[in-house]
Amino acid sequence: MDLDLLFIPLNSVQWKECSSRGFIEPSQKEGSKSIRSIEAYTPSVVEEILNFKFVDQNELLLILIDPIRIQVPIKSELNNIKPNNEEDSFGNSKRYPVVHLQGKISIDAVIDRIPIQKNKDGLFHVHVETID
């Protein structure tokens, strides 16, 4: 798997909790017995996922992760994603490629955090330019 950069969207409260602990960990899902993982997104799909899944948010922090610094298993797969806003999610899901970070990752893997807000049209815009 050749990954150059990963994005983890968090709100400011979530980021403060992670930074004070020194790591980002998978969220707790009650009753779930599956392997817990952190969902991360590649530059090619992050904007589309933000505008679909995070309809309930007006501002987020995009946490940029260097995959080389990750010390947990990484698994990439297609997942059905629903909007966070439960009113919009009934029967409404889309399939996206998601990178699962299977365990806690150290804050040392974070290379930047970028605050983003929805524009006047109610959309997040993320422009990622990579240099080879």
Side-chain angles (χ1 to χ4, degrees):
M1 185 177 339
D2 189 23
L3 299 170
D4 293 331
L5 192 61
L6 294 171
F7 295 92
I8 300 172
L10 299 175
N11 63 40
S12 58
V13 172
Q14 291 169 319
W15 171 248
K16 285 178 187 174
E17 290 172 4
C18 293
S19 62
S20 69
R21 285 191 308 254
F23 54 85
I24 301 170
E25 67 180 325
S27 62
Q28 289 279 59
K29 290 185 180 177
E30 291 188 35
S32 174
K33 294 184 181 182
S34 62
I35 295 173
R36 293 183 20 211
S37 65
I38 300 164
E39 282 190 2
Y41 311 110
T42 61
S44 63
V45 296
V46 68
E47 181 177 276
E48 189 174 346
I49 290 174
L50 290 175
N51 286 309
F52 181 73
K53 182 175 181 173
F54 296 93
V55 294
D56 60 334
Q57 301 288 315
N58 289 318
E59 52 187 56
L60 290 167
L61 285 173
L62 272 185
I63 309 303
L64 278 66
I65 303 292
D66 181 354
I68 293 172
R69 298 180 187 183
I70 295 173
Q71 301 295 317
V72 298
I74 299 173
K75 182 179 179 184
S76 187
E77 64 184 8
L78 286 174
N79 275 36
N80 287 326
I81 294 180
K82 294 182 176 184
N84 285 346
N85 182 345
E86 291 186 30
E87 296 166 7
D88 292 335
S89 68
F90 181 72
N92 186 15
S93 68
K94 288 186 180 179
R95 208 155 170 77
Y96 289 104
V98 175
V99 178
H100 294 278
L101 310 175
Q102 299 178 325
K104 296 178 186 178
I105 60 170
S106 170
I107 291 295
D108 294 337
V110 175
I111 54 176
D112 203 355
R113 54 187 197 282
I114 302 169
I116 60 170
Q117 295 181 333
K118 286 184 176 176
N119 66 12
K120 63 182 178 178
D121 297 327
L123 298 172
F124 290 110
H125 287 288
V126 179
H127 178 73
V128 180
E129 204 170 306
T130 57
I131 300 171
D132 291 330

